[in-house]
Amino acid sequence: MCEVATDEHEREISDMESSTVAHSEVMLVVNHSRIKPPFSVLLATVLYCAEFITAAVLCSRYHKTEDVIWMGFTLTFMLLPAVLIQLALTFIHRDLGRDRPLVLFLHLLLLGPVIRCFEALVVYFKSGKREEPYVTISRKINLEKGQIPMEWEIGQSERNLATHRNAFKRTAVIQAFLGSAPQLTLQLYASIQEKYFLPARLTLMIITLISITYGALVCIVLAIQIRYDDYKVRLRPFAYLCMIVWRGLEIATRITSLVLFSTALTHWVILVGAGNLLFFFFLPWVEFWARKGSLAKDVEKNFSKLGTTVVLSMFTLLYACINVFCWSAVQLDLTHRELIERKQRWDRLAMYYCGRFVENFVLITLWYFYKSDFYEYVCAPLLAAQLLICYSLAVLFMLLFYQFCHPCKSLFKYNVHDCLHCVCFRTGRRGGRGRRGKLPPSYSTAATMVLVPEEPLQLLDPQNSQPLDLTNQLGEQETAILEDIMQAA
């Protein structure tokens, strides 16, 4: 997409600019080619329209058969995310202060994503027909080129498309976890209770599963982009494949466990769902009160303190809904301007998946003992084992992603390989009782960016220097790294 200005012909901008680039070690990149098509905008719009239309058809079917309960819940999970998506798009594009009555009217008709997608396609097809000056410069660090800072000239069309992409990423997450996830749970429960699959219901379940998986992928990408904002992030196709398998297995296993438990103990599933939701909703606020911090400023300049609190509450609700079904990939920090904690919390990741595995195991076990006669032709032990194995495979693909496919794995101080190796080494050293072991070399390429300690005093004062005891220093470093990794794990 971009060409590096390394030749003399491309450096004929001015002598001053060339000297500035050479002095600051910044490689100037000029965008000469066409911008990328807005595939993410188109995909999010297609999923929104497909789920909305299919849910409306299913509601009409429920109305004909007088299934009032199924129709009411289906209608709720169809309209709630649609309304929130309209508010999110209006908020991100700041249309309330602009004279755009047609756009606002389409938002009232719940057609906001359609008109936004049309605007993005118009911007894309008009770009490149005439040369336009750049409006801003983006500076990123390219990890593939030896962590060299690079600059991109961003034009007006590219910036507008970036705004549309960012907006539709947020709407995809809202659609996935405030609409698609509870909708899929409801329709699967209804199918088991009625003992048959309607064509419209089956179609809606497939669409919602795709929407949830896509929303979970967007969560990971957004978390990486926010946490490593100074770096140019590029995911490989194998990384996307690994994330799809990871998220698909995790979400399918979680929803199946909840539905099976609800068919055996219907009223208790309300307690389980509400407990999960309230725990993850109040967790960021408890941490905020424990830190005695102040609410993040600059969320929106025109908002009062009450308005900021309402926006943060809605954001926390979305965060809680994500964690009910899968790992959100981020931790909230209500005192930070971006509301996201930039530090990678490996301990939170380990605690979440361990706790979720135990919870799924308990739910499946209770279903096994209290299951109804509907499952008499189903091998219950095999089904329970398959669910636990699928969740274990999801954790395995998650570890593979962070070990080999993460775009910023070279910035990790410790990685999965180092953690598992040090755990095994510590266990083996305990069994040896005094035998001095030696760590084999790590074949991982992830732990490459480590903080360098200060220079020893012997190097600063060579006259009074003593011979360095490298054996003791290596032993102390291995012990410190081992204790740090075990605390994080």
Side-chain angles (χ1 to χ4, degrees), residues 415-427 438-442 482 485:
N415 52 27
V416 178
H417 174 270
D418 298 328
C419 181
L420 295 178
H421 172 73
C422 286
V423 170
C424 298
F425 173 74
R426 187 174 183 178
T427 304
K438 185 177 180 181
L439 285 171
S442 175
L482 180 63
I485 293 179

Side-chain angles (χ1 to χ4, degrees), residues 137-151:
I137 294 179
S138 175
R139 173 176 294 186
K140 300 287 183 180
I141 299 176
N142 197 327
L143 295 175
E144 298 179 355
K145 298 183 180 297
Q147 298 185 8
I148 299 177
M150 306 178 70
E151 289 185 352

Side-chain angles (χ1 to χ4, degrees), residues 54-239:
T54 310
V57 173
L58 186 59
C59 285
S60 65
R61 178 63 184 269
Y62 286 147
H63 179 70
K64 292 179 181 179
T65 57
E66 297 182 354
D67 292 328
V68 181
I69 297 178
W70 302 139
M71 184 186 69
F73 280 109
T74 304
L75 196 63
T76 301
F77 296 140
M78 178 185 73
L79 294 179
L80 177 62
V83 173
L84 293 178
I85 285 174
Q86 313 308 315
L87 295 177
L89 289 175
T90 306
F91 174 78
I92 294 174
H93 289 279
R94 304 176 184 273
D95 286 330
L96 294 179
R98 302 164 63 185
D99 187 14
R100 305 187 68 184
L102 178 60
V103 174
L104 295 178
F105 177 71
L106 291 175
H107 275 291
L108 292 176
L109 297 178
L110 303 181
L111 295 176
V114 178
I115 187 61
R116 300 295 183 184
C117 180
F118 179 75
E119 290 179 351
L121 292 176
V122 170
V123 172
Y124 168 71
F125 286 114
K126 284 186 176 180
S127 63
K129 294 184 177 180
R130 59 183 180 86
E131 185 178 358
E132 56 182 17
Y134 70 92
V135 294
T136 185
I137 294 179
S138 175
R139 173 176 294 186
K140 300 287 183 180
I141 299 176
N142 197 327
L143 295 175
E144 298 179 355
K145 298 183 180 297
Q147 298 185 8
I148 299 177
M150 306 178 70
E151 289 185 352
W152 285 266
E153 295 180 353
I154 307 299
Q156 183 68 34
S157 299
E158 188 173 359
R159 188 173 69 170
N160 291 339
L161 277 180
T163 303
H164 284 289
R165 289 191 181 97
N166 292 330
F168 274 87
K169 286 178 182 178
R170 275 70 177 177
T171 60
V173 176
I174 295 174
Q175 177 71 29
F177 295 101
L178 292 181
S180 300
Q183 189 77 271
L184 177 58
T185 307
L186 172 68
Q187 303 306 326
L188 183 58
Y189 177 78
S191 300
I192 295 177
Q193 291 296 327
E194 295 183 354
K195 299 179 176 60
Y196 65 91
F197 285 94
L198 293 173
R201 181 190 293 160
L202 181 60
T203 304
L204 180 59
M205 291 171 60
I206 295 174
I207 294 174
T208 51
L209 182 59
I210 297 174
S211 177
I212 300 170
T213 306
Y214 176 68
L217 297 184
V218 171
C219 284
I220 302 175
V221 175
L222 283 176
I224 296 174
Q225 290 177 348
I226 294 175
R227 186 172 287 120
Y228 303 98
D229 184 50
D230 297 332
Y231 297 88
K232 181 175 176 58
V233 177
R234 179 178 296 176
L235 289 168
R236 302 297 181 183
F238 184 74

Side-chain angles (χ1 to χ4, degrees), residues 354-397:
C354 291
R356 190 63 75 203
F357 183 86
V358 173
E359 183 185 1
N360 289 342
F361 177 77
V362 172
L363 294 180
I364 295 172
T365 304
L366 292 175
W367 163 79
Y368 178 76
F369 287 106
Y370 295 97
K371 62 182 181 296
S372 61
D373 296 336
F374 173 74
Y375 302 99
E376 61 181 357
Y377 299 107
V378 177
C379 185
L382 180 60
L383 179 59
Q386 287 175 344
L387 291 175
L388 295 177
I389 291 174
C390 287
Y391 198 82
S392 302
L393 289 176
V395 176
L396 176 62
F397 276 95

Side-chain angles (χ1 to χ4, degrees), residues 26 68 72 81 83 115 165 221 227 242 269 273 276 289 298 315 338-339 377 418 433 441 448 453 486:
V26 175
V68 181
V83 173
I115 187 61
R165 289 191 181 97
V221 175
R227 186 172 287 120
C242 189
V269 74
N276 275 271
W289 290 323
D298 299 332
F315 191 74
E338 295 179 349
L339 306 178
Y377 299 107
D418 298 328
R433 290 190 176 277
T448 57
M486 293 305 301

